[in-house]
Amino acid sequence: MTVIPIICSLRAAAKSAAARREMEAPAQDHRRLIAPLALLLAALFFAGAPSAAARGAAGLHPVVLLPGFTCSQFDARLTDAYEPPPASPGCGARRQGRGWFRLWENYTALQADPALLPCYQDQLRLVYDPAAGDYRNAPGVETRVVSFGTTRSFRFDDPAQKDACMERLVEALEGAGYREGANLFGAPYDFRYAPAAPGAASAAFSAFRASLTRLVERASARNGNRPAILVTHSFGGLYATEFLNRAPLPWRRRHVKHLVMLGLGVGGSPLILQVLAAAAAAPSPPPATLRGTVLAFGNRSFGSTFSLLPSPKVYGAAPLVVTRARNYTAEEIPEFLTAAGYSDDEVARYRTRALPVTLNFRAPLVPMTAVNGVGVPTVDKVVYWDGNFTEMPRVVNGDGDGIVNLEQVLALQRFVGDDPDQPYFKSVLIPNMTHNGLVSDELGLRSVIKEIMEANRATSF
């Protein structure tokens, strides 16, 4: 592993944030910490030298972007087999036999006709087929991801999505000399699905792996056989690490120069426990927006529902859900899910499909840089004192980026950075940086571009 000299400790870097939020961030392993002073100096350097990046564009390694949860768009079309929900019988008549339409995300359509909301909510759901052992669309609904291979799927009309997704990162990469279709590519995916345990049926993820393999090979071939740099944000990092670890090692070493993973650690988040409890509560009426349906309450029909639950390997016996009667640890998530109202079948799917992926996380064995925010209050545990999971809990915050907590980042440093077979690992922590700020704030973007350009210049690790 390349040793990275320490500039200053995380405790010193986050001093002002700690004073404001009464938090104290622990010191980090000096071999893997890039301190804020270095990041600020790098940001100033890149701010003053865009022409240098542009002059080097001809020699850039291709970049393939994997976005975060809800940041890929997909279309749908309805067949005669589609049966609209009883409360909205006109849903089928609006779309059946009329070809493809945008299912996610359809901000402009909903602004024009809010009556479409219950239709889209129904058409987004998945069903689990016990015979096939896999998830699929609702009967009569066919879907396709928009513009795979390009970054067009990352461009949204919804102002909230512009800051949450990769549109501003695409613009920053273009400013550094990257060009759509030449050396800049996108790998959108249907976020309703997720990688399942090896051996479990997962048609959507298998198709994604095949498509991403071809895309990386094509991107490399178009750029003088230079290996590609994979850049991920949030949930896209789970897709990327599972993709890499299921690809033959010689293929990884030949086609992937670097993995730059933004806003993801290892081991899942206690925040997801609150999301799942809200999803099980099935609020009525449902949220007034489609984003509300997916983000505020999750969707218990999605295959991805359980994918980021806390891992026993990371959290051990620490209480994550606190009630008067009992506490729940990461090792007791099945019991928590049952208490929150999930069925035996749903709990079994967590055990057999999602949990093995969490437990089997390992270093991707390609050079890797992880960039995370710290200094922002982030959920460490949730308290339902009366044991009523339908109510809003009291949260106990620690450090992190508002979504990913510091425990996940430290676990990533252990599982990847301490693996003797991992060729290179670097962890970059940016103080007072939010989860979405990594791909939208000026400092976050400059820091990310710096790491991508550094990966470009490296000849060996």
Side-chain angles (χ1 to χ4, degrees):
M1 182 197 308
T2 297
V3 175
I4 302 170
I6 187 168
I7 306 299
C8 63
S9 70
L10 176 58
R11 187 186 301 275
K15 184 176 181 181
S16 62
R20 289 196 306 271
R21 300 182 177 93
E22 299 182 350
M23 293 188 299
E24 179 176 321
Q28 300 301 304
D29 185 341
H30 70 278
R31 296 172 299 169
R32 297 189 292 267
L33 178 63
I34 291 297
L37 177 59
L39 288 173
L40 292 173
L41 291 174
L44 291 173
F45 173 80
F46 276 97
S51 59
R55 286 196 300 271
L60 293 174
H61 286 259
V63 161
V64 178
L65 300 174
L66 282 76
F69 194 74
T70 77
C71 289
S72 301
Q73 301 190 59
F74 48 92
D75 291 339
R77 65 181 175 189
L78 305 182
T79 71
D80 291 340
Y82 177 68
E83 296 183 3
S88 302
C91 288
R94 288 174 179 266
R95 295 292 190 183
Q96 277 175 322
R98 298 187 182 184
W100 294 99
F101 62 93
R102 188 59 45 85
L103 179 58
W104 182 271
E105 204 220 65
N106 36 52
Y107 177 80
T108 301
L110 286 173
Q111 293 296 102
D113 187 359
L116 290 170
L117 177 60
C119 302
Y120 290 151
Q121 289 172 331
D122 179 69
Q123 292 153 16
L124 270 172
R125 65 187 172 90
L126 297 180
V127 296
Y128 184 76
D129 183 347
D134 200 1
Y135 289 89
R136 58 176 174 80
N137 287 314
V141 179
E142 299 176 353
T143 56
R144 66 181 183 189
V145 171
V146 172
S147 300
F148 184 88
T150 80
T151 64
R152 291 192 292 274
S153 187
F154 309 156
R155 300 182 184 274
F156 289 84
D157 295 330
D158 185 349
Q161 292 287 70
K162 290 181 181 294
D163 286 336
C165 299
M166 283 184 153
E167 185 168 345
R168 304 198 191 285
L169 178 57
V170 169
E171 294 168 353
L173 285 165
E174 290 172 342
Y178 278 91
R179 295 294 176 265
E180 172 75 44
N183 54 8
L184 180 59
F185 307 89
Y189 54 88
D190 188 333
F191 60 84
R192 299 174 301 165
Y193 299 91
S202 184
F205 184 62
S206 296
F208 175 81
R209 287 175 55 204
S211 296
L212 184 55
T213 298
R214 291 191 295 268
L215 176 61
V216 169
E217 291 174 351
R218 186 170 72 248
S220 176
R222 287 186 182 180
N223 288 271
N225 291 321
R226 294 184 185 88
I229 300 171
L230 304 185
V231 181
T232 74
H233 181 228
S234 193
F235 197 59
L238 175 63
Y239 266 73
T241 53
E242 285 301 308
F243 165 75
L244 290 170
N245 277 317
R246 301 185 196 197
L249 184 57
W251 185 93
R252 285 179 254 172
R253 296 280 170 85
R254 165 65 185 84
H255 292 286
V256 179
K257 180 173 177 60
H258 210 100
L259 170 63
V260 180
M261 195 165 75
L262 316 176
L264 190 67
V266 172
S269 169
L271 172 64
I272 307 302
L273 296 165
Q274 178 184 349
V275 173
L276 290 180
S284 182
T289 68
L290 199 56
R291 275 184 64 79
T293 301
V294 174
L295 297 180
F297 297 101
N299 189 316
R300 63 189 292 174
S301 79
F302 291 175
S304 54
T305 295
F306 300 132
S307 295
L308 293 177
L309 278 168
S311 169
K313 288 180 66 174
V314 173
Y315 294 94
L320 302 178
V321 179
V322 177
T323 74
R324 187 200 311 270
R326 65 167 294 179
N327 298 333
Y328 296 90
T329 69
E331 297 168 343
E332 298 167 319
I333 285 177
E335 290 86 346
F336 164 76
L337 293 174
T338 298
Y342 286 85
S343 69
D344 290 345
D345 287 343
E346 289 172 307
V347 174
R349 292 202 288 274
Y350 161 71
R351 290 181 183 273
T352 59
R353 296 179 64 86
L355 181 58
V357 174
T358 301
L359 295 176
N360 291 333
F361 178 89
R362 56 198 186 278
L365 305 187
V366 299
M368 178 178 174
T369 298
V371 184
N372 290 94
V374 292
V376 179
T378 306
V379 175
D380 267 353
K381 57 176 62 71
V382 291
V383 180
Y384 296 91
W385 189 241
D386 293 328
N388 185 352
F389 297 118
T390 67
E391 296 181 348
M392 286 295 293
R394 182 173 66 85
V395 301
V396 179
N397 287 326
D399 199 356
D401 69 5
I403 301 293
V404 173
N405 65 25
L406 188 59
E407 189 64 38
Q408 295 172 260
V409 177
L410 298 177
L412 184 68
Q413 294 177 355
R414 294 195 302 272
F415 289 133
V416 179
D418 293 345
D419 189 322
D421 295 324
Q422 175 67 23
Y424 173 86
F425 177 74
K426 174 180 175 182
S427 180
V428 178
L429 304 181
I430 309 178
N432 309 321
M433 180 60 63
T434 65
H435 189 72
N436 290 340
L438 289 167
V439 291
S440 61
D441 289 359
E442 184 177 2
L443 176 58
L445 289 170
R446 287 178 176 174
S447 301
V448 171
I449 295 298
K450 172 188 178 295
E451 298 306 324
I452 294 171
M453 301 307 288
E454 184 176 295
N456 263 284
R457 290 191 299 271
T459 54
S460 63
F461 292 102

